[in-house]
Amino acid sequence: MRKKIVAGNWKMFQNSFSIKDFIEDFPPLVADIDDIEHIIFPPFVYLNLFQAQNKIPYGAQNMHFEERGAFTGEISAGMLRDLGCKFVLIGHSERRHIFKETPEMLEKKILAALQDELTPIYCIGEKIEERRSGKTFEVLSSQLRDGLSEVRDLTKVIIAYEPVWAIGTGETATPEIAEEAHVFIRSELETIMPGISEDISVLYGGSVKPENTKELIKMKNIDGFLVGGASLKPETLAQISRFSVEEK
Ligand code: PGA
């Protein structure tokens, strides 16, 4: 059975004060919401604030694929485990497009994360010009195959479908567009590893906010959300979580 998940990607936002407030304020707001996993991805330097609490599962927004070595500025999967992380985002579109991470790097990161028992949330999604030229499925298919072909147990991976044109733009995919992509993703997962696709959580991300959660979560193949901007405030994230349970 796949899990329902609402995750917050904080990117390069927040500070120690706002995070301490979040850690205090968020758990009571979702205490009565069962059957959903909340995960926060703070900037690296604030992971220790999450380590000091035990209510909110957390992870890192990125990692390096090597275990150790002369890689100035990088952080390994083992180091993240050491800080209590259970999850890591891999292949977020900002990593792919701004920091030029290649499919080869992302595959290595996924394998290294799994090796260290971190659950990767593998982010995939097409750019607007790819959608306009009818290449959406082609792009999603190669991103999935590039990243996951060598993974032995795909049930240990979470997928986030985040169309690049919807990230931070205020323009969300319609429920129908998102569902069409999620159905395709699940069918691709089924071809990569038959028999497991119903057990893999596929999240939607891209301008998710309380106002559009209800319609999106009604879609059969959307198992939750990876939320950027709207995850920074505990009340807003809790609202998204509440709708994700009530409307499913
Ligand atoms: P957004 O970001 O919700 O601010 O569009 C989503 C993401 O980048 O994961």
Side-chain angles (χ1 to χ4, degrees), residues 131-182:
R131 173 159 287 273
R132 286 197 183 120
S133 57
K135 294 214 174 94
T136 298
F137 289 168
E138 202 180 303
V139 169
L140 296 180
S141 175
S142 61
Q143 289 174 337
L144 286 169
R145 280 160 207 279
D146 289 342
L148 302 176
S149 295
E150 298 300 317
V151 172
R152 249 183 271 138
D153 182 0
L154 273 186
T155 60
K156 298 215 154 49
V157 176
I158 296 166
I159 306 293
Y161 169 59
E162 299 205 300
V164 180
W165 46 271
I167 296 178
T169 58
E171 191 189 338
T172 330
T174 63
E176 294 70 27
I177 287 179
E179 176 69 357
E180 182 187 45
H182 282 230

Side-chain angles (χ1 to χ4, degrees), residues 13-207:
F13 292 105
Q14 304 282 43
N15 58 45
S16 58
F17 298 103
S18 63
I19 293 179
K20 282 180 189 151
D21 286 346
F22 187 99
I23 287 173
E24 206 173 299
D25 297 344
F26 184 68
L29 293 173
V30 294
D32 64 324
I33 308 179
D34 297 326
D35 191 29
I36 193 157
E37 177 142 49
H38 301 104
I39 311 166
I40 297 293
F41 294 91
F44 283 131
V45 292
Y46 299 122
L47 286 168
N48 64 327
L49 298 177
F50 281 82
Q51 197 179 20
Q53 54 87 51
N54 58 12
K55 297 212 168 109
I56 312 172
Y58 56 97
Q61 299 172 16
N62 182 29
M63 54 168 262
H64 191 57
F65 48 80
E66 294 289 351
E67 253 174 74
R68 64 181 69 78
F71 302 107
T72 302
E74 294 294 333
I75 292 174
S76 71
M79 291 169 182
L80 297 178
R81 283 293 307 182
D82 206 12
L83 276 173
C85 291
K86 298 245 162 48
F87 301 89
V88 61
L89 295 181
I90 306 279
H92 188 278
S93 80
E94 286 146 22
R95 300 296 323 167
R96 288 178 193 265
H97 303 303
I98 303 175
F99 299 102
K100 310 291 178 218
E101 293 192 5
T102 63
E104 294 73 28
M105 289 162 79
L106 300 180
E107 178 181 33
K108 285 190 196 167
K109 288 182 184 209
I110 290 172
L111 296 174
L114 291 168
Q115 177 81 20
D116 264 298
E117 291 176 20
L118 290 173
T119 300
I121 299 192
Y122 181 44
C123 305
I124 60 172
E126 79 287 0
K127 295 194 249 180
I128 191 63
E129 56 275 22
E130 292 164 336
R131 173 159 287 273
R132 286 197 183 120
S133 57
K135 294 214 174 94
T136 298
F137 289 168
E138 202 180 303
V139 169
L140 296 180
S141 175
S142 61
Q143 289 174 337
L144 286 169
R145 280 160 207 279
D146 289 342
L148 302 176
S149 295
E150 298 300 317
V151 172
R152 249 183 271 138
D153 182 0
L154 273 186
T155 60
K156 298 215 154 49
V157 176
I158 296 166
I159 306 293
Y161 169 59
E162 299 205 300
V164 180
W165 46 271
I167 296 178
T169 58
E171 191 189 338
T172 330
T174 63
E176 294 70 27
I177 287 179
E179 176 69 357
E180 182 187 45
H182 282 230
V183 167
F184 176 77
I185 289 166
R186 220 176 279 290
S187 72
E188 286 292 287
L189 292 170
E190 191 60 32
T191 22
I192 298 172
M193 191 176 283
I196 44 79
S197 70
E198 282 301 318
D199 296 326
I200 301 181
S201 298
V202 185
L203 315 181
Y204 170 79
S207 297

